[in-house]
Amino acid sequence: MAEAVFHPPRRKRRVFESYEAPFPVDVGGKDFRLCQAEIINNNVIVRNPEDIEQLYNKGYFGKGILSRSRPVFSISDPLLAAKWRGVNTNMPIITSQKYQRRVQWAQSVLQEQGLDSCSVTKILESYTKPLGLPFCRGAGAEHSCSRGGPGPGNAELCRRSAGREGAQSPEGHSQHPEEGGDAALDPGSGSRDQEQGDSREMAEGSCHRDPPVLCGYEGKQSPEQRAWEGMDSRECAPEYVLVEEEEEGSSCPEDGSTHAQENLVKKEVLVCRKNPFRIFEYLQLSLEEAFFLVYALGCLSIYYGEEPLSIVKLWEVFSEVKPDFKTTYMAYHYFRGKGWVPKVGLKYGTDLLLYRKGPPFYHASYSVIAELVDDNFEGSLRRPLSWMSLSGLNRTTANASKELMLCYLIRPSDMTAEEMSTPECMKRIKVQELIVSRWVSSRERSEQDEF
């Protein structure tokens, strides 16, 4: 048998982040943090933003449910954010079409909760009306918002009163006069200190973990929505967005002639509104990643409802959800202990993909298929491969600049099913790695044929 040749990992050309740590635990134990996850619909999810940052940045565990990998989803339009770069705010900027789409989604949710169309219309009209910009609030009664064009250096200022006293929100509470008026914003620069302070407050209130319904509105909830109960008041705060809308203006506003009306131009402005239908991103962990964080590192606690599950219970539950969980987890545990970052290899038809350091730095080096066998390399294989299927899988892996690896988990013949019912069985498991490579006859010839 030919020996496998180790090929160094292929580094990515562009790396936009720095490497922090291989695991989300502190060696000294001073800054140890116990993260929390939940089991919802047989999936392990993390909702706390601090836990998400801790788990993903240190070890690259899980993936954002709305992102390719790192959970960085935002409804803000990048083109609009670049266009209105003079606006110093952390609020998302979206188009009017996208905002109306969210209004329609919120309307559908309210109708499904049993409300009549008249009530739905009133709720949405009150909830989505223009608001005074929160970062324009000051100590006095008069508030100013900057106006001007997208280009820097436009010093045109406009002061608007944001007072519509006694306005009622859908939550039934009286709004502050500063939040009830019609106010539109053009790019420019206002009070930098007020903008940064209030934007930070809104960023804290706009948590990623709210259920996708109107914040503060209580109605008939579905079982999926009831699973999101137990959130504190900070998480139910509404999200503010800046909507790009068109405002009709004229170069000669004092002239009421027909010629002046024909020269009316539409000016784009930013209007602050509440987002009626929020889309939330959380971190989704694979079963192997979740169990590794609980069993090997001890930095994660997984809840089902209000009850935290023990290690043995998780081993049992995950084995029921995924019949081959024990096999794939043993392989995951083994490669994590060797310093690799295993990720799900479903895209390439395998169980795992092995990365050095993490996906942002290197391409995957190996595609791994895990099999649990006995001492004689016999047993009921999870994926019995024929020569044709093995050749096709190997070619697919080679075309993606990876190598195919067969990971055999060897258990003793005297190991009973009772021993396999706990993760302690891994102490008696041995691992045998086999790299599959395609034999090319032309490379083995002593003399190359000339064509």
Side-chain angles (χ1 to χ4, degrees), residues 193-438:
D193 297 337
Q194 295 176 2
E195 289 177 3
Q196 294 177 357
D198 290 4
S199 298
R200 189 180 303 108
E201 293 178 2
M202 285 192 301
E204 293 177 355
S206 303
C207 185
H208 292 282
R209 302 180 289 170
D210 302 346
V213 293
L214 286 175
C215 297
Y217 177 78
E218 296 181 357
K220 297 181 180 179
Q221 294 183 342
S222 63
E224 292 78 6
Q225 294 169 352
R226 285 195 295 269
W228 296 89
E229 292 179 352
M231 300 178 297
D232 54 31
S233 58
R234 181 178 68 88
E235 295 174 325
C236 294
E239 179 187 33
Y240 296 92
V241 296
L242 295 178
V243 185
E244 184 184 63
E245 299 180 358
E246 293 182 348
E247 182 183 66
E248 289 188 354
S250 174
S251 56
C252 302
E254 297 179 356
D255 189 0
S257 62
T258 306
H259 179 71
Q261 295 178 358
E262 293 177 354
N263 291 334
L264 288 176
V265 294
K266 292 183 178 180
K267 187 177 182 181
E268 294 176 346
V269 295
L270 292 181
V271 181
C272 180
R273 300 178 186 270
K274 290 181 181 179
N275 185 8
F277 191 92
R278 300 183 62 182
I279 300 178
F280 310 91
E281 182 171 37
Y282 47 79
L283 188 73
Q284 182 174 3
L285 300 172
S286 67
L287 300 184
E288 293 80 10
E289 290 173 328
F291 194 83
F292 182 84
L293 293 169
V294 175
Y295 173 71
L297 301 182
C299 63
L300 182 68
S301 180
I302 300 179
Y303 285 75
Y304 184 75
E306 298 181 355
E307 178 185 0
L309 301 181
S310 63
I311 293 177
V312 177
K313 186 63 176 179
L314 284 174
W315 184 264
E316 177 184 350
V317 170
F318 289 171
S319 299
E320 293 179 359
V321 173
K322 186 177 180 181
D324 56 352
F325 167 75
K326 297 177 182 178
T327 303
T328 56
Y329 175 73
M330 291 178 187
Y332 182 93
H333 189 104
Y334 172 77
F335 289 114
R336 265 289 183 179
K338 292 292 184 179
W340 295 95
V341 178
K343 305 297 288 187
V344 177
L346 181 62
K347 183 166 60 175
Y348 296 99
T350 57
D351 298 320
L352 299 173
L353 294 176
L354 301 185
Y355 293 86
R356 183 177 184 267
K357 286 189 175 181
F361 307 100
Y362 291 88
H363 295 278
S365 300
Y366 299 98
S367 295
V368 182
I369 295 180
E371 293 287 358
L372 183 63
V373 296
D374 57 14
D375 293 337
N376 299 322
F377 283 82
E378 297 178 353
S380 57
L381 299 180
R382 298 170 47 248
R383 296 183 56 176
L385 297 173
S386 63
W387 284 112
M388 184 176 297
S389 59
L390 180 60
S391 177
L393 183 60
N394 189 30
R395 182 178 289 273
T396 301
T397 304
N399 289 341
S401 300
K402 299 172 179 52
E403 291 186 275
L404 180 63
M405 178 187 297
L406 302 180
C407 179
Y408 290 101
L409 305 162
I410 307 171
R411 66 175 183 178
S413 301
D414 59 346
M415 181 176 288
T416 62
E418 184 179 356
E419 293 182 72
M420 292 290 295
S421 61
T422 64
E424 295 299 316
C425 65
M426 290 189 294
K427 295 179 179 180
R428 301 184 60 189
I429 297 294
K430 298 180 180 180
V431 181
Q432 177 67 52
E433 305 165 6
L434 178 64
I435 295 179
V436 181
S437 60
R438 182 167 144 263

